[in-house]
Amino acid sequence: MSVDGKITTGATDRLDFDRDLPRIPGVREGLRQYYDIEQTTDLWSLNSGRVQEKMGVNQKEMPEKTPVSFVLIDNHHLTEHGVRYFCARSQQFVLVTSNQTHPAFDVASENLHILLQPELDLTGALESLKKEFGCQRITIQSGGTLNELFLREKLLDYIDLVVAPVLVGGKDTSTLIDGRSITSPGGLSGLGVLRLESVRQLEGSYLRLRYKVLF
């Protein structure tokens, strides 16, 4: 994220950290450290179809298989090509959707698993991942709206942040946690209270902050 908590460079899907930061002097020089850290995260990774659409998976060439199993929450952002892209990339690919006509239903692949829910149930999805696939740890790498759902439902155990030396601004630009705002004192139970576990100064004025979620 940026120093002011933004996770993208602006309020449109045409702007994106992965595309834009490599072009910005003073930021691009240390950016590789984020991707190096990303390679050390859990062997299960959860993201959203919207984020992956922004990353271009609906047009990218088929990738080589990785050791990672991917979980995507998506109703309408992935095309059939995007689904096949993740089948090629994943050990196991689990799609969580409420869309009964999602393009994934037209794809036949041994490692594709579709978790159809009447409405999004994050707790149920995580329980299914553990019970059906033995998933014990999963890294959430998603947008602010989905991150807010995980926060409010108390499903986060640790927060691992790489802070880029840049200020973005803009009230409509997505942040680490978006979604519903707290509007009354009774909603304070939805806050995430953290305990700092480590601080590391990286090259190029980047920081890595690691927290345990207390409640």
Side-chain angles (χ1 to χ4, degrees):
M1 69 177 193
S2 66
V3 172
D4 57 333
K6 306 298 184 181
I7 58 173
T8 185
T9 40
T12 170
D13 284 353
R14 292 182 289 109
L15 297 169
D16 183 80
F17 268 178
D18 290 297
R19 289 195 299 265
D20 301 333
L21 295 190
R23 303 199 300 263
I24 301 175
V27 181
R28 65 189 180 199
E29 291 81 1
L31 184 59
R32 60 168 178 79
Q33 299 166 107
Y34 168 77
Y35 298 109
D36 290 343
I37 291 171
E38 189 179 39
Q39 296 301 310
T40 68
T41 55
D42 297 313
L43 290 177
W44 280 87
S45 177
L46 185 147
N47 210 305
S48 71
R50 182 187 177 189
V51 169
Q52 293 304 317
E53 181 186 38
K54 287 179 63 177
M55 296 285 287
V57 300
N58 290 331
Q59 295 82 36
K60 286 184 177 180
E61 294 183 2
M62 291 295 124
E64 295 182 359
K65 190 170 291 293
T66 72
V68 180
S69 293
F70 289 91
V71 180
L72 288 190
I73 296 176
D74 181 65
N75 282 333
H76 55 81
H77 291 284
L78 288 183
T79 64
E80 182 175 325
H81 180 91
V83 173
R84 294 187 185 279
Y85 176 95
F86 270 96
C87 288
R89 186 181 180 188
S90 309
Q91 291 295 315
Q92 300 294 333
F93 174 38
V94 181
L95 178 77
V96 181
T97 186
S98 300
N99 179 6
Q100 297 185 20
T101 61
H102 194 283
F105 286 102
D106 296 324
V107 176
S109 178
E110 290 185 356
N111 68 339
L112 171 62
H113 313 276
I114 301 174
L115 181 56
L116 182 63
Q117 299 181 326
E119 58 183 32
L120 181 60
D121 176 6
L122 292 177
T123 299
L126 293 178
E127 289 174 346
S128 294
L129 290 174
K130 182 177 181 180
K131 180 179 180 181
E132 297 179 28
F133 303 100
C135 174
Q136 299 294 325
R137 292 173 57 94
I138 190 168
T139 296
I140 311 301
Q141 294 177 294
S142 188
T145 301
L146 193 54
N147 286 345
E148 183 264 346
L149 295 177
F150 277 97
L151 171 68
R152 302 297 188 222
E153 295 184 30
K154 302 298 182 181
L155 297 175
L156 301 174
D157 298 305
Y158 293 91
I159 308 295
D160 193 343
L161 301 175
V162 175
V163 184
V166 62
L167 294 168
V168 176
K171 68 177 183 178
D172 297 320
T173 301
S174 188
T175 66
L176 184 68
I177 306 289
D178 287 335
R180 301 162 295 175
S181 297
I182 293 173
T183 57
S184 69
L188 294 179
S189 61
L191 296 176
V193 179
L194 312 177
R195 182 181 68 211
L196 184 65
E197 296 211 324
S198 66
V199 179
R200 182 184 170 196
Q201 182 176 348
L202 305 176
E203 297 174 10
S205 298
Y206 278 73
L207 286 175
R208 184 180 186 183
L209 308 175
R210 304 185 73 180
Y211 295 91
K212 179 177 174 57
V213 180
L214 298 182
F215 54 87

